[in-house]
Amino acid sequence: MITKEIREQFPILGQEVNGKPLTYLDSAATSQKPISVIETLAHYYKNDNSNVHRGVHTLGTRATDGYEGSREKVRRFINASSTEEVIFVRGTTTAINTVASSYGRANIGEGDEIVITPMEHHSNIIPWQQLAKETGATLKYIPLQADGTISLSDVENTITAHTKIVSVMYVSNVLGTINPIKDITEIAHRNDAVMMVDGAQAAPHMKVDVQELDCDFFAFSAHKMCGPTGIGVLYGKKQLLDKMEPVEFGGEMIDFVGLYDSTWKELPWKFEGGTPIIAGAIGLGAAIDFLEQIGLDEIEKIEHELVEYAMERMSTIEGLTIFGPRNRAGLVTFNLDDVHPHDVATVLDTEGIAVRAGHHCAQPLMKWLDVTATARASFYLYNTKDDVDALIEGLKTTKEYFGHVF
Ligand code: PLP
């Protein structure tokens, strides 16, 4: 599909905002949804809506087939070895909290270490802070290099025989850094630690193979990859998940319930207490179909060309600072002179351009960058060079506006 055809699949992009054609550059926060995903959700609610795994009636069977069929699509998408290793959760945040609560509480104690980086999203910091406080473990950080990357020698020096869990983001939502997850996993395993990967900014944009990475846990959210909100995935190796306790108890996840004791279903259902996110999972399946139809390699190529073009054009704007390494994923985080990023985003909005401004759920990283906030333009498969050109014009307008006011 050429980009024009891809764009036509996203009805939301055809609108005007503030009298200008919408330029959507906030896909790292959430992506837009193609018509196939929207119609899959509508079709499910119009035709098949029912609870799963319970009824023997036809609608119940259709809903169950759709839900479990999506699990198989996810398994293929990340190359997990079995659907037992694919747990549907609310999103990346829930996936990381599940590992911290279940694996963490059972395996971490006083004197143990949890290793993360200062570039993590809050959802990959706070669960570990809480676990460390609860258990008396130490939370350690792999230091960042000046360009916002991490070096393997620092990884080697930070992870020790006391480290029990290492949790690192694959792709930074602020710097665009692509971390060497396979190498970090190898170092973690050499020290008998388990490796958790926050894949929220990776799964939508590049081919992920959990067996090739050899990570123990991998988390991502459907809403950043053309799917619905409210659904995401926790991948975990079967031998670890088998030994872990569920974190939510109730319907759907039980085998036998007595007055004083109960037993759990097998994987993956023991981690899916209550009525699951049925429509969401089916919508995620449709999103995977859509992304695979275009191809993850093609998506990566589109974004790479856009980010290269954006970096080149943005570097010609005087007073504009770009944060993060040269080699990066499809986003550019920046500040413009002394203009507050919220003001930048507000002026751009008047031009129909949607960018993110704030701390991007990465306050420790903002501190490291020595800024209170930044603006961020993030690209996805439906963006074009015209969108980058609109951003450049918008930034020039912003400069003129503030130059004029002050
Ligand atoms: N990790 C990263 C790198 C993210 O960018 C995000 C969302 O912005 C998250 C985790 C949290 O994802 P969610 O809010 O879908 O749970």
Side-chain angles (χ1 to χ4, degrees):
M1 255 191 264
I2 55 169
T3 319
K4 184 169 171 296
E5 284 167 10
I6 294 175
R7 275 183 83 81
E8 282 165 1
Q9 306 295 311
F10 292 82
I12 203 168
L13 297 176
Q15 68 183 292
E16 292 196 341
V17 167
N18 296 320
K20 307 277 169 56
L22 169 63
T23 302
Y24 187 75
L25 298 175
D26 196 18
S27 297
T30 199
S31 72
Q32 296 304 346
K33 322 300 173 200
I35 195 75
S36 59
V37 169
I38 298 167
E39 282 177 353
T40 297
L41 292 171
H43 181 277
Y44 168 74
Y45 279 121
K46 280 186 192 162
N47 298 281
D48 304 331
N49 178 51
S50 184
N51 216 323
V52 290
H53 303 142
R54 293 179 193 174
V56 288
H57 60 72
T58 302
L59 295 192
T61 308
R62 279 194 219 147
T64 304
D65 288 350
Y67 182 71
E68 293 302 332
S70 279
R71 199 189 304 276
E72 168 57 20
K73 287 181 189 179
V74 172
R75 185 205 65 71
R76 241 188 325 101
F77 186 68
I78 58 171
N79 193 31
S81 54
S82 143
T83 49
E84 291 175 296
E85 300 184 321
V86 175
I87 297 157
F88 286 127
V89 291
R90 202 164 61 81
T92 307
T93 305
T94 312
I96 299 170
N97 274 279
T98 300
V99 174
S101 301
S102 177
Y103 185 87
R105 286 203 185 118
N107 293 284
I108 301 265
E110 207 169 335
D112 291 336
E113 297 166 354
I114 304 159
V115 170
I116 62 174
T117 82
M119 74 172 90
E120 301 306 318
H121 188 280
H122 294 163
S123 62
N124 197 28
I125 298 177
I126 308 165
W128 308 117
Q129 284 179 349
Q130 294 299 102
L131 182 65
K133 280 183 201 159
E134 232 176 81
T135 58
T138 307
L139 184 58
K140 286 171 73 179
Y141 286 86
I142 301 165
L144 300 187
Q145 305 198 100
D147 67 349
T149 58
I150 49 185
S151 86
L152 289 179
S153 57
D154 283 334
V155 177
E156 296 264 12
N157 291 336
T158 313
I159 298 175
T160 72
H162 298 289
T163 306
K164 290 286 186 293
I165 296 186
V166 179
S167 191
V168 175
M169 62 189 352
Y170 202 155
V171 174
S172 163
N173 61 315
V174 176
L175 304 170
T177 312
I178 304 166
N179 286 316
I181 291 299
K182 198 172 170 202
D183 296 324
I184 301 172
T185 301
E186 196 270 311
I187 296 166
H189 286 170
R190 224 192 299 139
N191 287 277
D192 290 328
V194 296
M195 178 76 191
M196 163 118 227
V197 181
D198 170 355
Q201 298 293 345
H205 306 284
M206 58 207 265
K207 185 84 197 105
V208 167
D209 182 332
V210 288
Q211 293 190 70
E212 158 82 10
L213 292 172
D214 198 27
C215 57
D216 299 290
F217 302 104
F218 190 97
F220 61 99
S221 304
H223 70 95
K224 293 186 197 288
M225 49 184 280
C226 295
T229 49
I231 178 90
V233 171
L234 167 62
Y235 158 82
K237 281 186 183 160
K238 178 171 157 46
Q239 66 267 31
L240 294 172
L241 294 175
D242 267 337
K243 290 196 209 117
M244 284 161 56
E245 279 293 298
V247 287
E248 284 191 332
F249 302 90
E252 292 280 348
M253 51 74 69
I254 49 82
D255 178 26
F256 168 82
V257 179
L259 280 179
Y260 298 103
D261 204 7
S262 303
T263 56
W264 322 137
K265 261 188 189 162
E266 65 271 36
L267 288 174
W269 302 290
K270 79 171 180 184
F271 287 104
E272 294 179 2
T275 298
I277 316 144
I278 307 165
I282 293 171
L284 169 58
I288 289 175
D289 289 342
F290 177 80
L291 295 178
E292 286 183 338
Q293 194 194 338
I294 292 159
L296 269 296
D297 289 345
E298 181 62 23
I299 293 168
E300 214 180 329
K301 192 167 141 243
I302 294 170
E303 292 176 24
H304 182 71
E305 277 172 21
L306 287 173
V307 80
E308 286 288 308
Y309 181 61
M311 297 269 284
E312 185 191 312
R313 292 221 56 196
M314 288 169 88
S315 60
T316 63
I317 298 178
E318 211 182 306
L320 189 139
T321 308
I322 293 175
F323 301 98
R326 181 78 193 80
N327 185 20
R328 59 172 63 209
L331 58 87
V332 186
T333 292
F334 61 94
N335 271 338
L336 189 59
D337 290 327
D338 294 333
V339 186
H340 193 282
H342 280 143
D343 294 332
V344 174
T346 304
V347 177
L348 290 176
D349 183 56
T350 64
E351 300 293 314
I353 303 162
V355 299
R356 196 112 196 123
H359 55 59
H360 313 285
C361 297
Q363 288 184 34
L365 180 59
M366 294 296 116
K367 193 164 188 309
W368 182 82
L369 290 170
D370 199 21
V371 294
T372 50
T374 68
R376 179 188 70 195
S378 55
F379 308 107
Y380 207 11
L381 70 168
Y382 37 69
N383 290 118
T384 63
K385 285 190 173 171
D386 289 347
D387 291 332
V388 176
D389 292 340
L391 173 66
I392 301 299
E393 288 313 305
L395 289 171
K396 286 180 184 162
T397 307
T398 311
K399 265 183 80 97
E400 273 161 31
Y401 180 81
F402 285 98
H404 181 72
V405 169
F406 299 114

